[in-house]
Amino acid sequence: NSINLEDGLEKFERVAPLARAYGAALVVGCIDEDKEQAQAITRQRKLEIALRSWQLLTERYGIRPGDIIFDPLVFPCATGDANYRGSAVETIEGIRLIKEALPDAKTVLGISNVSFGLPEAGREVLNSVFLYHCTKAGLDLAIVNAEKLERYASIPEEERRLAEDLLYDRGQDPIAAFAAHFRGATARSKPIAAELPLDDRLANYIIEGSRDGLVADLDLKMQEAAPLEIINGPLMKGMDEVGRLFNANELIVAEVLQSAEAMKAAVSHLERFMEKSDSHSRGRLLLATVKGDVHDIGKNLVDIIVSNNGYEVVNLGIKVAPEALIEAAQRHRPDVIGLSGLLVKSAQQMAITAGDLHDAGVDAPLLVGGAALSDKFTRTRIAPRYDATVVYCKDAMNGLDTLNRLMNPDARRELEATLAEHREPGEAVARAGEPAPAEPQVRSSRVRVDVEIPPVPDLERHVEEARDLDEVWSYVNPQMLYGRHLGFRGRFSEALAAGDVKAIDLEKKIEAVKQECRDGAMHVRAVWRFFEAESDGNELRLFEPGEAAPATTFRFPRQRRPDGLSIPDFVLPRRDGARDHVALLVTTAGEGIAELAARAKAAGEYVRSYALQALALESAEAAAEWLHARLRAAWGFADDPSTPRKALFQAQYRGKRYSFGYPACPELEQQAKLFQLLRPDEIGVNLTEGFMMEPEATVSALVFHHPDAVYFSAGVEEEGPTE
């Protein structure tokens, strides 16, 4: 089942040409013809054999590097054989050395051999701890019995310590200490699924997000119940438990999506046996991203979760105008309408859309959600315009819970009574009638003007495609990708370093999507340019080289507070006739991603679909961070190489970048001026009629070098600068 050098080149000569001819991968054992130690025990011997085998296979036999899988070998570390004492740590470190020297190669181990000769319960623990440390060292593939594997995170600390002492050969007699602790202990094998009652098994498939055996058990259940009864019975019981576990912080978004995949597979199988008149719908939701907004990922997550909890979803897509929503509401007669949007302007558009729906006589309950929304904005700005039930939902699962309550008459009455208690209809009307106070125009004294103007290397327009996606991904903020998008709770990087099982599993899922992107699914592109710049009060003027008239003028709001800030404050006054400079940039990672994610969603691959969109969004952000670092270097103040990425994510560097639609520059309309100057259509980015960028995974920004630049919210009297 593998090749090695035990008999010299004999096996290589016989097998390698066949593997190359048929495109097969090869498992290569770390064994050679050495008479004293043919099987490599030490880390150095493992590396030596791997390097020799690699050179032979790639250079002499033409095997692709990615088709070589090294087995560094596992030996029993607790039999008392002096030759194998300490061999476990040699295997762990051998993996690390091989992966460092040959990053394109893969590694594989048969894990359980490490615990041969130990009590059964102890074997489960030792195997789990060994697998964890091997994975951290870079192990790619493992042969394990999943039913005999204890979750690393659930192993008591004392037992982990005993296992690590044995693996790393620490202490006077780690074998005796480990064996004594586990002697007589009961094995911890998982409950056998086949022994559970059938209904519990069906619910468990959904809870675990597993499809292994699902169809066979569905067929068995259909001998005693109709398909619709199965959907509304054990399968929905499983989805209800998924919701409970998520709300109890015991499941994350990625796991909920796995459960949705299992539910989709179950319903798809059962639908083949249902009459056309059968309906398992609990209600109909009309879903849309509001006019002018291209952001799709949050709405699609709602679609997946709600549709796999028994509801019919009519998804109208993005940039849905009020008149299109009204027409769809009249045609589909939904029980509930859901509106999604990301930016401040989208929240304002929701209020307009709510008013238009009301004027057209639509009165279905309205669920609203998005990053710029809040419960207060919903109550004071949206609800008064709709004059019917309007509920703010903070996330997709909260939306599902609200939908369930609205479809239950008693729960709906209770919810509507609560909303009525907190309704504030007069507040929005009063504010709308008040004249806006005059906006200050004076530059803030908090921003110094005695700073030297740094030179820039050129004033040319640059267009580039990132050749190394992994370099760009090194700027991905893991808390945003894994926490905000994929729902991991807590500090992801710390959890991953500590061996948290969910963190490890989530990283593997994203790595699979990254490999798909490396293989051509994703293209990261950027366009940027330095411009000569001047400021005048709240205006920022950009110039072509040496020109007296500005190429364009941006106008920004100023904080309505004493000595308030406005973005143009961060441009230095002319000095000896020389102007300061501002950089403009657009980065994108979205080409083809929406279509690829849609195909995955249609195929029921919900985790992959959502992960593709999330990775694309954060790749565009990472590309902006990557490019901003290069711009700082071009200005002459490159980041110290020792600066941790976490410091960059917290903007702990000189200068800042600002994007339209966010608190310091909320007016999206000015995006058009940036587009006229940079022409990002060359990298596949276009501007919608609502001044948002397509594709969704795109970032634009104005970049300033001033050391006093900070992030802040403009035009709000009570808010000051925010870091």
mmCIF file of all heavy atoms in Angstrom, residues 569-605:
data_model
loop_
_atom_site.group_PDB
_atom_site.id
_atom_site.type_symbol
_atom_site.label_atom_id
_atom_site.label_comp_id
_atom_site.label_asym_id
_atom_site.label_seq_id
_atom_site.Cartn_x
_atom_site.Cartn_y
_atom_site.Cartn_z
ATOM 1 N N ASP A 569 -8.796 67.633 7.041
ATOM 2 C CA ASP A 569 -7.827 68.127 8.030
ATOM 3 C C ASP A 569 -6.506 67.369 7.960
ATOM 4 O O ASP A 569 -5.464 67.887 8.392
ATOM 5 C CB ASP A 569 -8.400 67.989 9.451
ATOM 6 C CG ASP A 569 -9.623 68.860 9.685
ATOM 7 O OD1 ASP A 569 -9.907 69.717 8.828
ATOM 8 O OD2 ASP A 569 -10.292 68.673 10.719
ATOM 9 N N PHE A 570 -6.545 66.140 7.429
ATOM 10 C CA PHE A 570 -5.346 65.303 7.424
ATOM 11 C C PHE A 570 -4.443 65.568 6.218
ATOM 12 O O PHE A 570 -3.453 64.853 6.011
ATOM 13 C CB PHE A 570 -5.743 63.822 7.473
ATOM 14 C CG PHE A 570 -6.623 63.481 8.653
ATOM 15 C CD1 PHE A 570 -7.794 62.750 8.488
ATOM 16 C CD2 PHE A 570 -6.288 63.919 9.925
ATOM 17 C CE1 PHE A 570 -8.609 62.454 9.568
ATOM 18 C CE2 PHE A 570 -7.096 63.626 11.018
ATOM 19 C CZ PHE A 570 -8.263 62.897 10.839
ATOM 20 N N VAL A 571 -4.773 66.585 5.419
ATOM 21 C CA VAL A 571 -3.907 67.012 4.312
ATOM 22 C C VAL A 571 -3.124 68.239 4.768
ATOM 23 O O VAL A 571 -3.705 69.212 5.266
ATOM 24 C CB VAL A 571 -4.735 67.335 3.052
ATOM 25 C CG1 VAL A 571 -3.832 67.902 1.957
ATOM 26 C CG2 VAL A 571 -5.449 66.086 2.560
ATOM 27 N N LEU A 572 -1.812 68.193 4.600
ATOM 28 C CA LEU A 572 -0.954 69.293 5.052
ATOM 29 C C LEU A 572 -1.020 70.478 4.082
ATOM 30 O O LEU A 572 -1.191 70.287 2.869
ATOM 31 C CB LEU A 572 0.489 68.804 5.166
ATOM 32 C CG LEU A 572 0.744 67.765 6.269
ATOM 33 C CD1 LEU A 572 2.095 67.104 6.066
ATOM 34 C CD2 LEU A 572 0.661 68.425 7.644
ATOM 35 N N PRO A 573 -0.873 71.705 4.607
ATOM 36 C CA PRO A 573 -0.836 72.881 3.728
ATOM 37 C C PRO A 573 0.403 72.845 2.829
ATOM 38 O O PRO A 573 1.394 72.165 3.123
ATOM 39 C CB PRO A 573 -0.759 74.055 4.707
ATOM 40 C CG PRO A 573 -1.119 73.501 6.043
ATOM 41 C CD PRO A 573 -0.755 72.056 6.026
ATOM 42 N N ARG A 574 0.333 73.580 1.731
ATOM 43 C CA ARG A 574 1.493 73.691 0.837
ATOM 44 C C ARG A 574 2.715 74.163 1.617
ATOM 45 O O ARG A 574 2.611 74.976 2.531
ATOM 46 C CB ARG A 574 1.207 74.710 -0.268
ATOM 47 C CG ARG A 574 0.493 74.156 -1.478
ATOM 48 C CD ARG A 574 0.541 75.207 -2.574
ATOM 49 N NE ARG A 574 -0.195 74.806 -3.752
ATOM 50 C CZ ARG A 574 0.251 74.986 -4.988
ATOM 51 N NH1 ARG A 574 1.422 75.560 -5.188
ATOM 52 N NH2 ARG A 574 -0.479 74.616 -6.012
ATOM 53 N N ARG A 575 3.874 73.660 1.205
ATOM 54 C CA ARG A 575 5.121 74.101 1.826
ATOM 55 C C ARG A 575 6.149 74.324 0.719
ATOM 56 O O ARG A 575 6.451 73.387 -0.032
ATOM 57 C CB ARG A 575 5.609 73.057 2.833
ATOM 58 C CG ARG A 575 6.841 73.501 3.617
ATOM 59 C CD ARG A 575 7.037 72.637 4.848
ATOM 60 N NE ARG A 575 5.882 72.770 5.747
ATOM 61 C CZ ARG A 575 5.380 71.774 6.465
ATOM 62 N NH1 ARG A 575 5.909 70.580 6.374
ATOM 63 N NH2 ARG A 575 4.346 71.976 7.256
ATOM 64 N N ASP A 576 6.649 75.558 0.614
ATOM 65 C CA ASP A 576 7.604 75.926 -0.440
ATOM 66 C C ASP A 576 7.063 75.560 -1.820
ATOM 67 O O ASP A 576 7.797 75.075 -2.696
ATOM 68 C CB ASP A 576 8.954 75.226 -0.203
ATOM 69 C CG ASP A 576 9.584 75.642 1.118
ATOM 70 O OD1 ASP A 576 9.388 76.812 1.522
ATOM 71 O OD2 ASP A 576 10.241 74.793 1.750
ATOM 72 N N GLY A 577 5.762 75.763 -1.999
ATOM 73 C CA GLY A 577 5.134 75.507 -3.289
ATOM 74 C C GLY A 577 4.765 74.057 -3.540
ATOM 75 O O GLY A 577 4.117 73.745 -4.542
ATOM 76 N N ALA A 578 5.182 73.158 -2.648
ATOM 77 C CA ALA A 578 4.925 71.721 -2.848
ATOM 78 C C ALA A 578 3.633 71.311 -2.158
ATOM 79 O O ALA A 578 3.342 71.742 -1.039
ATOM 80 C CB ALA A 578 6.084 70.901 -2.306
ATOM 81 N N ARG A 579 2.864 70.468 -2.836
ATOM 82 C CA ARG A 579 1.617 69.964 -2.271
ATOM 83 C C ARG A 579 1.839 68.646 -1.522
ATOM 84 O O ARG A 579 2.771 67.897 -1.813
ATOM 85 C CB ARG A 579 0.585 69.717 -3.379
ATOM 86 C CG ARG A 579 0.067 70.964 -4.071
ATOM 87 C CD ARG A 579 -0.949 70.560 -5.134
ATOM 88 N NE ARG A 579 -1.572 71.714 -5.775
ATOM 89 C CZ ARG A 579 -1.630 71.898 -7.089
ATOM 90 N NH1 ARG A 579 -1.097 70.994 -7.904
ATOM 91 N NH2 ARG A 579 -2.222 72.965 -7.591
ATOM 92 N N ASP A 580 0.930 68.375 -0.617
ATOM 93 C CA ASP A 580 0.860 67.070 0.036
ATOM 94 C C ASP A 580 0.270 66.061 -0.957
ATOM 95 O O ASP A 580 -0.123 66.420 -2.077
ATOM 96 C CB ASP A 580 -0.021 67.178 1.286
ATOM 97 C CG ASP A 580 0.197 66.039 2.275
ATOM 98 O OD1 ASP A 580 1.021 65.148 1.988
ATOM 99 O OD2 ASP A 580 -0.460 66.041 3.329
ATOM 100 N N HIS A 581 0.195 64.785 -0.546
ATOM 101 C CA HIS A 581 -0.342 63.747 -1.427
ATOM 102 C C HIS A 581 -1.338 62.856 -0.687
ATOM 103 O O HIS A 581 -1.208 62.626 0.522
ATOM 104 C CB HIS A 581 0.780 62.870 -1.995
ATOM 105 C CG HIS A 581 1.751 63.622 -2.836
ATOM 106 N ND1 HIS A 581 2.885 64.196 -2.316
ATOM 107 C CD2 HIS A 581 1.740 63.926 -4.162
ATOM 108 C CE1 HIS A 581 3.552 64.813 -3.279
ATOM 109 N NE2 HIS A 581 2.873 64.654 -4.406
ATOM 110 N N VAL A 582 -2.298 62.353 -1.441
ATOM 111 C CA VAL A 582 -3.277 61.378 -0.962
ATOM 112 C C VAL A 582 -3.278 60.225 -1.963
ATOM 113 O O VAL A 582 -3.117 60.451 -3.169
ATOM 114 C CB VAL A 582 -4.686 62.011 -0.874
ATOM 115 C CG1 VAL A 582 -5.755 60.946 -0.656
ATOM 116 C CG2 VAL A 582 -4.737 63.041 0.248
ATOM 117 N N ALA A 583 -3.434 59.004 -1.474
ATOM 118 C CA ALA A 583 -3.526 57.846 -2.370
ATOM 119 C C ALA A 583 -4.974 57.381 -2.462
ATOM 120 O O ALA A 583 -5.711 57.412 -1.471
ATOM 121 C CB ALA A 583 -2.642 56.713 -1.871
ATOM 122 N N LEU A 584 -5.376 56.962 -3.648
ATOM 123 C CA LEU A 584 -6.684 56.337 -3.872
ATOM 124 C C LEU A 584 -6.448 54.888 -4.278
ATOM 125 O O LEU A 584 -5.494 54.600 -5.018
ATOM 126 C CB LEU A 584 -7.455 57.054 -4.984
ATOM 127 C CG LEU A 584 -8.342 58.249 -4.596
ATOM 128 C CD1 LEU A 584 -7.542 59.319 -3.875
ATOM 129 C CD2 LEU A 584 -9.018 58.836 -5.838
ATOM 130 N N LEU A 585 -7.311 53.987 -3.812
ATOM 131 C CA LEU A 585 -7.146 52.576 -4.175
ATOM 132 C C LEU A 585 -8.496 51.892 -4.314
ATOM 133 O O LEU A 585 -9.489 52.303 -3.709
ATOM 134 C CB LEU A 585 -6.279 51.841 -3.142
ATOM 135 C CG LEU A 585 -6.794 51.674 -1.699
ATOM 136 C CD1 LEU A 585 -7.762 50.493 -1.564
ATOM 137 C CD2 LEU A 585 -5.626 51.471 -0.742
ATOM 138 N N VAL A 586 -8.504 50.846 -5.131
ATOM 139 C CA VAL A 586 -9.622 49.903 -5.216
ATOM 140 C C VAL A 586 -9.023 48.509 -5.277
ATOM 141 O O VAL A 586 -8.110 48.255 -6.072
ATOM 142 C CB VAL A 586 -10.508 50.143 -6.456
ATOM 143 C CG1 VAL A 586 -11.567 49.037 -6.577
ATOM 144 C CG2 VAL A 586 -11.193 51.505 -6.391
ATOM 145 N N THR A 587 -9.503 47.611 -4.422
ATOM 146 C CA THR A 587 -9.078 46.204 -4.464
ATOM 147 C C THR A 587 -10.319 45.331 -4.601
ATOM 148 O O THR A 587 -11.386 45.662 -4.086
ATOM 149 C CB THR A 587 -8.318 45.795 -3.186
ATOM 150 O OG1 THR A 587 -9.186 45.953 -2.046
ATOM 151 C CG2 THR A 587 -7.074 46.638 -2.986
ATOM 152 N N THR A 588 -10.169 44.215 -5.287
ATOM 153 C CA THR A 588 -11.317 43.316 -5.460
ATOM 154 C C THR A 588 -10.866 41.862 -5.477
ATOM 155 O O THR A 588 -9.770 41.538 -5.938
ATOM 156 C CB THR A 588 -12.087 43.634 -6.756
ATOM 157 O OG1 THR A 588 -13.245 42.788 -6.832
ATOM 158 C CG2 THR A 588 -11.236 43.408 -8.000
ATOM 159 N N ALA A 589 -11.726 40.996 -4.951
ATOM 160 C CA ALA A 589 -11.491 39.547 -4.991
ATOM 161 C C ALA A 589 -12.772 38.837 -5.403
ATOM 162 O O ALA A 589 -12.943 37.653 -5.141
ATOM 163 C CB ALA A 589 -11.027 39.057 -3.620
ATOM 164 N N GLY A 590 -13.677 39.580 -6.054
ATOM 165 C CA GLY A 590 -15.022 39.058 -6.249
ATOM 166 C C GLY A 590 -15.349 38.468 -7.598
ATOM 167 O O GLY A 590 -16.432 37.899 -7.768
ATOM 168 N N GLU A 591 -14.451 38.569 -8.576
ATOM 169 C CA GLU A 591 -14.795 38.096 -9.916
ATOM 170 C C GLU A 591 -15.180 36.613 -9.904
ATOM 171 O O GLU A 591 -14.396 35.756 -9.510
ATOM 172 C CB GLU A 591 -13.623 38.302 -10.875
ATOM 173 C CG GLU A 591 -13.924 37.842 -12.295
ATOM 174 C CD GLU A 591 -12.705 37.897 -13.206
ATOM 175 O OE1 GLU A 591 -11.789 38.684 -12.914
ATOM 176 O OE2 GLU A 591 -12.665 37.149 -14.187
ATOM 177 N N GLY A 592 -16.408 36.311 -10.320
ATOM 178 C CA GLY A 592 -16.874 34.931 -10.439
ATOM 179 C C GLY A 592 -17.282 34.275 -9.137
ATOM 180 O O GLY A 592 -17.833 33.167 -9.150
ATOM 181 N N ILE A 593 -17.046 34.927 -7.995
ATOM 182 C CA ILE A 593 -17.324 34.293 -6.705
ATOM 183 C C ILE A 593 -18.827 34.136 -6.475
ATOM 184 O O ILE A 593 -19.288 33.089 -6.009
ATOM 185 C CB ILE A 593 -16.683 35.099 -5.554
ATOM 186 C CG1 ILE A 593 -15.154 35.057 -5.658
ATOM 187 C CG2 ILE A 593 -17.143 34.558 -4.203
ATOM 188 C CD1 ILE A 593 -14.544 33.686 -5.482
ATOM 189 N N ALA A 594 -19.606 35.159 -6.792
ATOM 190 C CA ALA A 594 -21.056 35.081 -6.564
ATOM 191 C C ALA A 594 -21.663 33.929 -7.349
ATOM 192 O O ALA A 594 -22.513 33.182 -6.833
ATOM 193 C CB ALA A 594 -21.722 36.401 -6.946
ATOM 194 N N GLU A 595 -21.230 33.762 -8.597
ATOM 195 C CA GLU A 595 -21.762 32.680 -9.425
ATOM 196 C C GLU A 595 -21.344 31.315 -8.885
ATOM 197 O O GLU A 595 -22.148 30.372 -8.834
ATOM 198 C CB GLU A 595 -21.277 32.843 -10.869
ATOM 199 C CG GLU A 595 -21.788 34.096 -11.578
ATOM 200 C CD GLU A 595 -21.047 35.369 -11.179
ATOM 201 O OE1 GLU A 595 -20.014 35.269 -10.471
ATOM 202 O OE2 GLU A 595 -21.499 36.463 -11.563
ATOM 203 N N LEU A 596 -20.081 31.210 -8.472
ATOM 204 C CA LEU A 596 -19.585 29.946 -7.922
ATOM 205 C C LEU A 596 -20.313 29.599 -6.628
ATOM 206 O O LEU A 596 -20.711 28.448 -6.402
ATOM 207 C CB LEU A 596 -18.074 30.060 -7.673
ATOM 208 C CG LEU A 596 -17.323 28.784 -7.295
ATOM 209 C CD1 LEU A 596 -17.448 27.735 -8.387
ATOM 210 C CD2 LEU A 596 -15.850 29.105 -7.042
ATOM 211 N N ALA A 597 -20.512 30.614 -5.772
ATOM 212 C CA ALA A 597 -21.218 30.388 -4.507
ATOM 213 C C ALA A 597 -22.674 30.010 -4.757
ATOM 214 O O ALA A 597 -23.241 29.171 -4.043
ATOM 215 C CB ALA A 597 -21.136 31.638 -3.636
ATOM 216 N N ALA A 598 -23.290 30.625 -5.774
ATOM 217 C CA ALA A 598 -24.688 30.305 -6.092
ATOM 218 C C ALA A 598 -24.823 28.854 -6.554
ATOM 219 O O ALA A 598 -25.779 28.158 -6.188
ATOM 220 C CB ALA A 598 -25.209 31.257 -7.165
ATOM 221 N N ARG A 599 -23.856 28.390 -7.356
ATOM 222 C CA ARG A 599 -23.905 26.991 -7.808
ATOM 223 C C ARG A 599 -23.729 26.040 -6.627
ATOM 224 O O ARG A 599 -24.395 25.004 -6.546
ATOM 225 C CB ARG A 599 -22.827 26.742 -8.868
ATOM 226 C CG ARG A 599 -23.110 27.420 -10.201
ATOM 227 C CD ARG A 599 -22.265 26.833 -11.322
ATOM 228 N NE ARG A 599 -20.846 27.067 -11.138
ATOM 229 C CZ ARG A 599 -20.204 28.155 -11.562
ATOM 230 N NH1 ARG A 599 -20.879 29.124 -12.182
ATOM 231 N NH2 ARG A 599 -18.902 28.285 -11.387
ATOM 232 N N ALA A 600 -22.830 26.389 -5.714
ATOM 233 C CA ALA A 600 -22.629 25.548 -4.531
ATOM 234 C C ALA A 600 -23.891 25.524 -3.671
ATOM 235 O O ALA A 600 -24.301 24.470 -3.169
ATOM 236 C CB ALA A 600 -21.439 26.057 -3.716
ATOM 237 N N LYS A 601 -24.526 26.678 -3.512
ATOM 238 C CA LYS A 601 -25.767 26.759 -2.724
ATOM 239 C C LYS A 601 -26.866 25.919 -3.357
ATOM 240 O O LYS A 601 -27.589 25.186 -2.671
ATOM 241 C CB LYS A 601 -26.192 28.223 -2.618
ATOM 242 C CG LYS A 601 -27.505 28.471 -1.888
ATOM 243 C CD LYS A 601 -27.702 29.971 -1.691
ATOM 244 C CE LYS A 601 -29.088 30.287 -1.143
ATOM 245 N NZ LYS A 601 -30.106 30.340 -2.192
ATOM 246 N N ALA A 602 -26.996 26.012 -4.683
ATOM 247 C CA ALA A 602 -28.026 25.235 -5.380
ATOM 248 C C ALA A 602 -27.789 23.740 -5.235
ATOM 249 O O ALA A 602 -28.736 22.948 -5.230
ATOM 250 C CB ALA A 602 -28.054 25.627 -6.854
ATOM 251 N N ALA A 603 -26.515 23.351 -5.095
ATOM 252 C CA ALA A 603 -26.171 21.939 -4.937
ATOM 253 C C ALA A 603 -26.258 21.480 -3.484
ATOM 254 O O ALA A 603 -25.944 20.327 -3.180
ATOM 255 C CB ALA A 603 -24.760 21.688 -5.476
ATOM 256 N N GLY A 604 -26.660 22.379 -2.585
ATOM 257 C CA GLY A 604 -26.766 22.020 -1.176
ATOM 258 C C GLY A 604 -25.448 22.050 -0.438
ATOM 259 O O GLY A 604 -25.358 21.587 0.699
ATOM 260 N N GLU A 605 -24.404 22.628 -1.054
ATOM 261 C CA GLU A 605 -23.094 22.747 -0.391
ATOM 262 C C GLU A 605 -23.038 24.093 0.323
ATOM 263 O O GLU A 605 -22.326 25.007 -0.078
ATOM 264 C CB GLU A 605 -21.969 22.626 -1.422
ATOM 265 C CG GLU A 605 -21.931 21.305 -2.160
ATOM 266 C CD GLU A 605 -20.847 21.298 -3.226
ATOM 267 O OE1 GLU A 605 -19.661 21.380 -2.869
ATOM 268 O OE2 GLU A 605 -21.197 21.226 -4.423
#
